[in-house]
Amino acid sequence: MSELQVDAVVDTRGQNCPMPIMNSTRAMRQLEVGQVIKLMATDKGAKSDVPAWAESNGHEVIESDTQGEVLTFIVRKGED
Amino acid sequence: MTENPTDVTIDLRSDDSEGQQLPEIGLDESRVRQIVRETVQDTVKEEVQRAFAKDPAMKRGAIVASKGTLDWAYPPLILGNAAAAVGMETSIFFTFYGLNIIHKDHAKRLKMSAVGNPAMPMPVPGTMPDLITSLPGMIPFATKMMKSTFAEHNVASISELLSTAQEMGIRLIACQMTVDVFGFEQSDFIDGVEFGGAAAFMAQARKSHMTMFI
């Protein structure tokens, strides 16, 4: 995974549905369009939830990666 | 029928050009028709997609929460929060026993019973007969068990889901009729709860593609 400049890190490791996307939503509300979050999750559902959440909100999943149990997503805030 | 002057027949196939080459573009008629059909189909598809994207009902959801046990308190709050997270303007209507979920004492009021609930996982092999699960002390036991199981799995608490819902701008609406019938006061409910009737739900539901009764 490339060392992209991220504007916020959302660490939801240990949390379960729906908190990873709730905390991601909280983080995105603080950011401007075009800024980027790094989202970490151990909720297995995040694998499909994060792309669905991003698409619904017009965000772009730039990268996703799995290391052991930890899913990492780099998501760029889009215009709603 | 042909005598009737109001009957007008428009024949799109021009007898003159049928089957002939169109000299200007060098395409036969069937090819032209095919191109027109494809172009129209694509345009219509794009327009329909654009219309759907603009449809405000795509971004609205209305959920009814009617059950008042600890296990059934979760689905409306989890799905309501998720709806808000994917950008939907969401309302949850609490009616009948669902009022327990937004009661100030929800932590005490939301309980779990294993009676008639053979799907509930129990720390003993097999399914407990209702004769056992209906014994005194089983409801607090089952409630405690479910709370600890959920806590072990880091599932958010009902309080956390409620405060997140309010932070997300989800409207929590208590059914006024059942509030009255069950002898509650408006002050029994958590701050920020609105009160309304069935018509308040319908007013929101008719504008929402996503409605659920839980």
Side-chain angles (χ1 to χ4, degrees), chain A residues 14-19 21-23 25-26 29 52-53 56-57 80, chain B residues 59 78 81-82 84-87 153-156 160-161 164 167-168:
Chain A
Q15 296 175 1
N16 258 317
C17 175
M19 296 321 287
I21 59 162
M22 302 320 293
N23 286 318
T25 302
R26 277 194 182 109
R29 286 183 174 186
W53 162 82
S56 302
N57 287 294
D80 195 21
Chain B
K59 294 206 161 196
I78 291 174
N81 272 301
V86 298
H153 287 86
N154 285 314
V155 176
E160 194 178 353
L161 289 168
T164 307
E167 182 195 333
M168 293 290 149

Side-chain angles (χ1 to χ4, degrees), chain B residues 128-142:
Chain B
M128 272 199 207
D130 278 356
L131 192 65
I132 306 292
T133 55
S134 57
L135 288 174
M138 280 307 289
I139 287 180
F141 170 74

Side-chain angles (χ1 to χ4, degrees), chain B residues 147-164:
Chain B
K147 281 184 181 170
S148 64
T149 305
F150 270 40
E152 275 166 30
H153 287 86
N154 285 314
V155 176
S157 66
I158 295 298
S159 295
E160 194 178 353
L161 289 168
L162 282 170
S163 61
T164 307

Side-chain angles (χ1 to χ4, degrees), chain B residues 73 77 81 92 94 98-110 157-167 170-174 179 184-195:
Chain B
L77 295 180
N81 272 301
I92 309 176
F94 297 87
L99 289 172
N100 270 343
I101 303 168
I102 47 170
H103 195 282
K104 279 177 180 162
D105 287 335
H106 59 79
K108 284 184 194 149
R109 300 183 73 92
L110 295 170
S157 66
I158 295 298
S159 295
E160 194 178 353
L161 289 168
L162 282 170
S163 61
T164 307
Q166 291 190 310
E167 182 195 333
I170 296 175
R171 291 172 66 197
L172 306 177
I173 304 171
V179 167
F184 292 128
E185 300 291 334
Q186 291 197 352
S187 58
D188 290 332
F189 297 95
I190 59 172
D191 290 343
V193 165
E194 300 170 45
F195 295 85

Side-chain angles (χ1 to χ4, degrees), chain A residues 3-9 35-39 73-75:
Chain A
E3 285 309 309
L4 200 88
Q5 170 79 37
V6 297
D7 300 290
V9 175
Q35 288 189 301
V36 169
I37 62 165
K38 178 181 179 179
L39 165 59
F73 301 89
I74 306 291
V75 188

